[in-house]
Amino acid sequence: MSTDHQHTPILVTGGTGTLGRPVVARLRAAGAAVRVLSRESHDAEDGVAFVTGDLAAGEGIDAAMQGVETIVHLAGSAKGDEEKARHLVKAASGAGVRHLVYISVVGADRIPVVSGVDRAMFGYFGAKLAAERVVAGSGVPWTTLRATQFHDLTLQTARQMAKLPVIPVPSGFRFQPVDTDEVAARLVELALGEPAGLVPDLAGPRAYPMADLVLDYLRAAGKHRAMLPIRVPGGAARAIRAGANLAPDRAVGRRTWEEFLAAQVADPRRQVADAALSTRTG
Ligand SMILES: NC(=O)c1ccc[n+]([C@@H]2O[C@H](COP(=O)([O-])OP(=O)(O)OC[C@H]3O[C@@H](n4cnc5c(N)ncnc54)[C@H](OP(=O)(O)O)[C@@H]3O)[C@@H](O)[C@H]2O)c1
């Protein structure tokens, strides 16, 4: 018998995050009751209840799971996602949860994290793979989706890099950014369906050299910076240069990086020009 999502809340970990917010909004739009686990306390809003807990510390998780049959596990950070997953599944397997949906990253299984450099720079991929294994071995029926880097993260990275006077750009790195809301839509579809194991990857419509992504941002923001190609050592970087973080066969995302960027970043020079034009014509 399938779950009555209108009355049995879906627990969303990471429901306050970049991906979590559109997931919660889409679950609500689909008529599901939603409970969000957050480290901060929040007031309930329009069909969304919040519970306070910390997956890294293993606190508040049992209470968050009461009466829940489906969990969408999105909480994540640069480090420690394996441990967060461990704490989550320990509570879930004893609480009668029937479906655990997990978001991972394309390349988790193909980017080796072995050397010190690998761990320092790409430990995230190793932690995501370990968390995938925790989910798959939990005994709770599961679905895992691997997505490429979100447009939002790509923009955030470019913005951070643009704070430097000279931007070091790893040569040979390419990314295939995908729209966060499209990932959210797919996760909601999966959460409202039956457990499906590892489902096909979700990747953006095109792969771009990293230098092009940074240049696109600089151009859109009206900034000028010198870029310095650097060669990152180690097996993880080698795998990324070989495209292990890409999914060319799964370029099913529709919204392009260019469309996203145009909506997010206004060119200050263009704004000035537009303002001058409207003064002259207005
Ligand atoms: N960003 C990408 O390009 C990308 C690509 C593929 C997969 N993913 C995966 O997608 C997921 C969401 O990414 P995002 O970009 O939306 O992240 P984000 O904006 O940084 O949000 C992180 C979320 O995780 C929660 N969280 C972090 N540590 C927690 C803890 N110890 N206990 C409970 N909650 C915790 C935060 O909740 P509070 O702050 O409210 O506690 C927040 O809602 C992550 O699992 C990430 O690995 C991301």
Side-chain angles (χ1 to χ4, degrees):
M1 202 181 67
S2 64
T3 301
D4 171 7
H5 294 294
Q6 237 181 319
H7 298 103
T8 308
I10 295 180
L11 177 65
V12 183
T13 76
T16 57
T18 309
L19 174 62
R21 287 189 301 272
V23 165
V24 169
R26 284 177 168 278
L27 283 171
R28 285 299 300 138
V34 179
R35 189 183 293 165
V36 169
L37 175 79
S38 169
R39 289 165 296 179
E40 311 284 325
S41 66
H42 303 265
D43 292 333
E45 57 188 48
D46 180 35
V48 182
F50 289 85
V51 286
T52 310
D54 187 327
L55 287 164
E59 289 164 7
I61 310 172
D62 288 327
M65 237 163 247
Q66 282 192 7
V68 165
E69 292 187 358
T70 302
I71 301 174
V72 183
H73 177 40
L74 312 175
S77 49
K79 284 186 176 166
D81 280 4
E82 177 182 4
E83 193 189 27
K84 291 186 202 70
R86 249 182 232 299
H87 285 141
L88 185 81
V89 305
K90 187 164 173 247
S93 53
V97 173
R98 294 158 53 129
H99 190 186
L100 173 55
V101 180
Y102 181 55
I103 180 74
S104 186
V105 65
V106 168
D109 57 333
R110 295 191 295 248
I111 296 172
V113 180
V114 180
S115 68
V117 177
D118 294 345
R119 278 196 296 278
M121 291 186 71
F122 307 101
Y124 170 75
F125 289 93
K128 293 307 277 188
L129 180 63
E132 280 186 15
R133 290 179 173 154
V134 168
V135 167
S138 65
V140 177
W142 57 279
T143 302
T144 289
L145 172 69
R146 293 177 179 147
T148 50
Q149 279 65 45
F150 307 156
H151 286 145
D152 300 86
L153 178 77
T154 310
L155 174 59
Q156 197 186 322
T157 307
R159 276 201 172 117
Q160 284 297 118
M161 291 172 108
K163 289 185 179 159
L164 300 166
V166 176
I167 304 179
V169 180
S171 29
F173 278 28
R174 285 170 298 149
F175 291 94
Q176 192 177 348
V178 66
D179 200 60
T180 314
D181 192 48
E182 291 176 4
V183 180
R186 176 71 175 132
L187 284 165
V188 166
E189 181 185 26
L190 294 167
L192 298 178
E194 296 299 317
L198 183 63
V199 296
D201 293 349
L202 178 46
R206 258 190 73 191
Y208 305 76
M210 188 170 183
D212 288 5
L213 293 166
V214 176
L215 258 180
D216 287 345
Y217 164 71
L218 292 172
R219 208 173 290 129
K223 293 179 195 279
H224 298 274
R225 297 285 184 278
M227 291 204 274
L228 180 68
I230 55 161
R231 188 159 183 91
V232 181
R238 196 176 315 119
I240 292 174
R241 282 192 292 275
N245 58 323
L246 309 176
D249 299 345
R250 292 291 305 157
V252 293
R254 298 178 72 88
R255 193 178 190 208
T256 64
W257 161 245
E258 289 82 2
E259 285 165 346
F260 168 82
L261 200 56
Q264 293 286 320
V265 185
D267 180 343
R269 287 170 310 179
R270 202 167 54 217
Q271 279 181 335
V272 170
D274 289 349
L277 190 67
S278 69
T279 313
R280 280 201 300 275
T281 55

